[in-house]
Amino acid sequence: MTLDPTVPAAVPTTVPTTAADGTPEHPAHPFDVERVLARLTLEEKASLLSGVDFWHTQPVERDGETLVPSVMVTDGPHGLRKQDENADHLGLGNSVPATCFPTAAALGSSWDADLLHRVGEALGRETRANDVAVLLGPGVNIKRSPLCGRNFEYFSEDPVVAGELATALVEGIQSLGVGTSLKHFAANNQEADRMRVSADVDERTLREIYLPAFERVVTRAQPWTVMCAYNKVNDVYASQHDWLLTTVLRDEWGFEGLVVSDWGAVRDRVAGVAAGLDLEMPSSGGRTDAEVVAAVRDGELDEALVDAAARRVLHLVARSLPAAEAPGSFDVDAHHALAREAAAAGTVLLKNAPVDGAPLLPLAPGALAGVAVVGELARTPRYQGAGSSQVNPTRLDDALTALRAAAGADLPFAAGYTLAEGPADDRSPDALVAEAVEAARGARTVLVFLGLPAAYESEGYDRDHLDLPADQVALLRAVAAANPRVVVALAGGSAISVAPWQDVAPALLTGWLGGQAGGSAVADVLTGAVAPSGRLTETLPLRLEDTPAFGNFPGELGHVRYGEGVLVGYRWYDARQVDVAYPFGHGLSYTTFAYDDAAAEVTGSGADAQVRVAVRVTNTGPVAGSEVVQVYVGDPQAQVHRPERELKAFAKVHLEPGESRVVTFGLDARDLSYWHPVLRRWVLEGGEFRVAVGASSRDLRAELVVDVVGEDVTLPLHELSTLGEALEHPVAGPVVRGALDGTPVDPGLLAMATDMPLAVIADFGLAGFDRGTLAQLVAAANA
């Protein structure tokens, strides 16, 4: 076991001068981690391993001297949620005003790493300005099921998208001298029974689906902290999972920071320290500190492990002090404008069918005067999810006001339905619908705002279904019957079933939960002020019954079985050839894009293999726009079942009308490999690979076949290897075939024997084998 990572002994902490943006220019004196650690008693070191309250680390004071200052951590990930002084002790009360950026569901749909980096910088400024050391985010858990109540906080059903975008966000935040907390590690993919349930998942599935996003962020951005999950992984709590926290995170990936618990995730503090959990949050009131001290005194816990954890806490404190001494400030207006840009970039145009010979969108400025707006969500926006990530926004835009401002006129509005968060309305549902129908009859085009009410999705519980409220669907059908020129704008943090009603809506877009500027951003896209460029990072299924985890989610009796294995999201739908409402990667624009001259070139072999992919993309439409070019890889010849295709790279490209650009991608051996369940390592198995380039997982514009020289993946031979495996073995095969040639065997018996273990064949006396010759064969094969 690695007891501690490589941590600088002395870290500069105080900053007498700062740059214009509030970042430190140079340090004045260091906080000497090793000197401080050497001065601490066992009790003081143990006290550092839990918080002093809900949000602060434990200080150490002795004889009027502060040996270790306390630092504050607080919720994110899409905006600072710092409690005010009078908030509740559970950490769910009022918070100071901060910019509420789009949630991860919306940010992820931008597919724009540069944008995520800028959002990260803004989050870092606000974190720093509020004297907070660590923003608790981002979350990179995979959207295993669209029913997960916390999906709005996560980026994608695909680990490449989640990992790339989270890396950019972490780098942006930490560039401002404050930290992040990558969460929730690991296999935390539901809210049901989240504090106890065991995620029962095989290692290959973990390695290929649920760990890679964490790995990508850790190895590329080194987040200051990683937050362990509440749940168990294969019957071991994540907070005391030595394989996760030490073997994988530190030894394999080289994580140098601190592991913090999710709030209330610790079950056995002593086991957690031994496994690599450094900081328990929130405070245990000294109870678990005493448990750690007692375990050391009793010889049950090596004090070196306590030192390693305390050292990491001290290192976190040291890294935090420069920002604490020069917190700086931030531009509220500029951050609101960035939130608006990000929300528009994450808005996905799903459908834009022609009506009367032309698509309904965009709505030209002159056409806005004939628009009616229907739906309470236009006036009362749902812009963020419920739970620990709720932000108190600095301001809040609604789509109705933004559309009226763009039109320069008081557009007619009808609520159509009520929301618990909206204004009181004593009228009956029928009266509300009748008012909306009347408004629709007199309009050129009707904008209908629909979505998931706040009570439908939240941290703490999962959804029961994928449907919109029945009253919203009834409203849409009534409005469409009165006026077929209908545009639907959806709000919600996760997948919504659109198949039952989208036939009456020629145009459909989703703004997800777009943050405090989401209302203006949707208006920007509807009017064409911003061309839509968002793409789905999760599949929109036709039915809940079609989804990969159906029948296994959320489990029962304390266990959830990951029975779909690596076939998560689009991998499942493609493998089963299941129709979907809208595929992963899908999104329309107000222009069109052509792909040509696709090419792929292979260099190297085995671990050094590289595939360079290039394609020319041209904007063939009338307006500027951005395309998300996606590269998928399939391996049809592998020893194990692999998905039809898997996303391995992407790039967002902005093109003016008529402009072309050659987009290139570099794939390495890892991009072609799978986790071998027997060899327990990444394996590049040679042969033909299919490299596809396209605009979605089901809109592939070019497919190329490349031949890659792989590595030797010969499996070790043992007594329980089958006859068929022995026949395929390069050393054992010729010997076994020779024995069979000399011993007549009935073809039917031979077919049956192919799956028999060699030990059974030897015991049966078939093919001239006995246990002695089998042992010799195994030894020779493995030599």
Side-chain angles (χ1 to χ4, degrees):
M1 176 185 293
T2 299
L3 299 184
D4 60 79
T6 302
V7 175
V11 180
T13 61
T14 57
V15 185
T17 59
T18 60
D21 65 356
T23 56
E25 288 187 328
H26 66 273
H29 62 79
F31 179 94
D32 191 327
V33 169
E34 293 302 326
R35 184 180 65 84
V36 172
L37 181 64
R39 295 184 63 188
L40 299 181
T41 66
L42 173 60
E43 287 76 9
E44 289 168 338
K45 289 184 290 189
S47 75
L48 291 176
L49 308 190
S50 65
V52 68
D53 57 22
F54 215 84
W55 300 115
H56 293 84
T57 62
Q58 182 81 239
V60 176
E61 297 176 349
R62 190 195 302 162
D63 300 327
E65 179 187 4
T66 299
L67 298 182
V68 182
S70 174
V71 300
M72 184 177 190
V73 303
T74 199
D75 277 322
H78 60 272
L80 185 76
R81 193 181 72 84
K82 179 184 178 182
Q83 284 187 271
D84 64 28
E85 294 180 357
N86 298 317
D88 65 291
H89 75 285
L90 289 178
L92 299 176
N94 295 330
S95 58
V96 301
T99 307
C100 181
F101 287 93
T103 61
L107 288 175
S109 296
S110 74
W111 296 64
D112 191 335
D114 292 337
L115 174 64
L116 269 288
H117 193 281
R118 289 192 287 129
V119 170
E121 290 174 336
L123 289 168
R125 287 190 189 92
E126 297 197 21
T127 301
R128 183 175 182 138
N130 281 279
D131 300 313
V132 172
V134 176
L135 186 69
L136 300 175
V140 293
N141 297 102
I142 296 300
K143 299 183 182 186
R144 176 182 178 232
S145 168
L147 293 179
C148 176
R150 210 168 180 178
N151 272 354
F152 61 86
E153 281 194 57
Y154 304 138
F155 291 101
S156 179
E157 67 187 29
D158 183 86
V160 170
V161 176
E164 284 294 315
L165 298 182
T167 296
L169 192 69
V170 166
E171 289 176 338
I173 294 170
Q174 295 190 168
S175 70
L176 271 294
V178 294
T180 58
S181 195
L182 189 66
K183 62 185 187 183
H184 306 89
F185 192 62
N188 177 205
N189 308 105
Q190 65 190 62
E191 294 299 285
D193 201 19
R194 64 175 177 161
M195 292 189 174
R196 303 180 308 169
V197 72
S198 174
D200 297 340
V201 53
D202 66 274
E203 186 176 4
R204 182 184 168 207
T205 298
L206 277 173
R207 294 283 192 171
E208 293 191 19
I209 301 295
Y210 297 104
L211 296 185
F214 289 97
E215 180 183 7
R216 196 171 291 238
V217 181
V218 166
T219 56
R220 297 186 183 184
Q222 282 291 345
W224 287 15
T225 75
V226 167
M227 183 189 295
C228 78
Y230 286 121
N231 54 280
K232 301 173 188 173
V233 179
N234 295 324
D235 257 346
V236 179
Y237 280 106
S239 61
Q240 56 200 59
H241 206 301
D242 178 80
W243 181 79
L244 277 176
L245 303 185
T246 296
T247 301
V248 173
L249 181 62
R250 297 192 186 281
D251 296 346
E252 293 185 18
W253 298 349
F255 177 58
E256 299 173 356
L258 173 147
V259 177
V260 60
S261 73
D262 203 343
W263 268 232
V266 172
R267 294 294 168 266
D268 184 330
R269 187 66 189 106
V270 174
V273 173
L277 177 69
D278 304 308
L279 176 62
E280 175 189 11
M281 290 298 288
S283 171
S284 69
R287 175 180 57 84
T288 57
D289 304 344
E291 292 173 359
V292 170
V293 171
V296 172
R297 301 283 190 218
D298 294 342
E300 297 174 4
L301 181 67
D302 190 339
E303 188 171 352
L305 294 170
V306 177
D307 289 349
R311 180 180 288 110
R312 294 179 190 123
V313 175
L314 292 174
H315 183 55
L316 176 68
V317 171
R319 301 174 89 175
S320 305
L321 293 179
E325 295 193 6
S329 60
F330 65 95
D331 186 329
V332 174
D333 293 337
H335 284 194
H336 184 78
L338 178 59
R340 181 172 179 170
E341 178 189 351
T347 298
V348 182
L349 180 61
L350 297 169
K351 178 182 180 182
N352 195 19
V355 178
D356 300 328
L360 292 184
L361 296 177
L363 297 167
L368 279 175
V371 165
V373 181
V374 170
E376 183 58 48
L377 281 163
R379 178 173 61 180
T380 305
R382 178 148 184 263
Y383 59 98
Q384 63 176 330
S388 62
S389 67
Q390 283 187 303
V391 177
N392 180 16
T394 59
R395 69 187 70 169
L396 183 59
D397 296 352
D398 65 86
L400 178 60
T401 300
L403 287 165
R404 284 173 170 170
D410 191 21
L411 302 178
F413 169 74
Y417 54 86
T418 59
L419 293 172
E421 303 79 26
D425 196 323
D426 295 332
R427 290 177 293 171
S428 69
D430 288 344
L432 292 169
V433 171
E435 179 190 39
V437 169
E438 188 61 27
R441 283 199 183 99
R444 168 69 174 164
T445 302
V446 189
L447 302 181
V448 183
F449 286 77
L450 307 175
L452 302 179
Y456 271 45
E457 53 183 346
S458 170
E459 177 184 356
Y461 57 87
D462 293 321
R463 298 164 67 190
D464 295 324
H465 55 77
L466 303 180
D467 301 328
L468 287 175
D471 60 343
Q472 293 189 24
V473 176
L475 168 69
L476 172 63
R477 293 195 179 280
V479 166
N483 187 337
R485 296 177 59 85
V486 171
V487 177
V488 171
L490 287 175
S494 49
I496 294 172
S497 179
V498 301
W501 49 261
Q502 72 162 342
D503 58 312
V504 303
L508 172 63
L509 59 80
T510 178
W512 307 105
L513 300 179
Q516 67 180 51
S520 292
V522 167
D524 289 340
V525 174
L526 290 170
T527 60
V530 175
S533 64
R535 303 291 185 266
L536 293 177
T537 62
E538 57 189 293
T539 306
L540 299 189
L542 290 174
R543 309 179 309 152
L544 176 61
E545 292 81 1
D546 294 334
T547 58
F550 184 78
N552 289 323
F553 179 98
E556 62 274 321
L557 302 177
H559 289 264
V560 53
R561 185 174 68 92
Y562 283 51
E564 66 280 5
V566 299
L567 299 180
V568 175
Y570 65 91
R571 293 166 169 82
W572 170 272
Y573 301 107
D574 289 348
R576 297 294 190 275
Q577 298 183 14
V578 174
D579 289 335
V580 300
Y582 293 102
F584 174 85
H586 170 76
L588 304 177
S589 179
Y590 294 149
T591 188
T592 54
F593 300 94
Y595 290 63
D596 57 25
D597 296 339
E601 179 186 8
V602 179
T603 58
S605 62
D608 297 321
Q610 302 275 339
V611 181
R612 181 182 181 274
V613 182
V615 64
R616 185 172 67 177
V617 182
T618 304
N619 182 344
T620 55
V623 298
S626 295
E627 175 71 320
V628 177
V629 185
Q630 302 161 41
V631 178
Y632 295 86
V633 172
D635 178 9
Q637 299 177 335
Q639 294 178 1
V640 300
H641 182 263
R642 300 191 70 180
E644 290 291 309
R645 63 188 62 89
E646 297 180 274
L647 183 78
K648 294 300 179 182
F650 64 89
K652 193 165 191 175
V653 184
H654 183 80
L655 298 171
E656 296 296 321
E659 183 183 3
S660 294
R661 186 177 306 172
V662 175
V663 186
T664 61
F665 305 89
L667 307 181
D668 60 19
R670 174 69 179 270
D671 294 318
L672 308 176
S673 299
Y674 62 88
W675 182 265
H676 201 291
V678 176
L679 298 177
R680 297 194 64 227
R681 63 177 175 84
W682 292 101
V683 165
L684 172 53
E685 188 175 343
E688 288 188 349
F689 288 80
R690 295 172 182 161
V691 180
V693 182
S696 84
S697 61
R698 293 194 172 179
D699 182 7
L700 305 176
R701 308 296 180 86
E703 185 170 272
L704 309 163
V705 177
V706 296
D707 192 87
V708 180
V709 177
E711 58 185 294
D712 179 14
V713 291
T714 301
L715 300 182
L717 204 67
H718 50 82
E719 289 187 346
L720 293 181
S721 297
T722 65
L723 176 62
E725 290 167 345
L727 289 169
E728 294 294 325
H729 194 280
V731 174
V735 177
V736 175
R737 280 191 293 273
L740 289 174
D741 290 342
T743 306
V745 180
D746 178 83
L749 178 61
L750 180 60
M752 182 177 70
T754 300
D755 280 339
M756 281 186 180
L758 293 174
V760 175
I761 291 175
D763 290 343
F764 283 2
L766 299 177
F769 280 100
D770 58 24
R771 285 290 183 136
T773 55
L774 175 57
Q776 294 173 5
L777 177 66
V778 168
N782 294 333

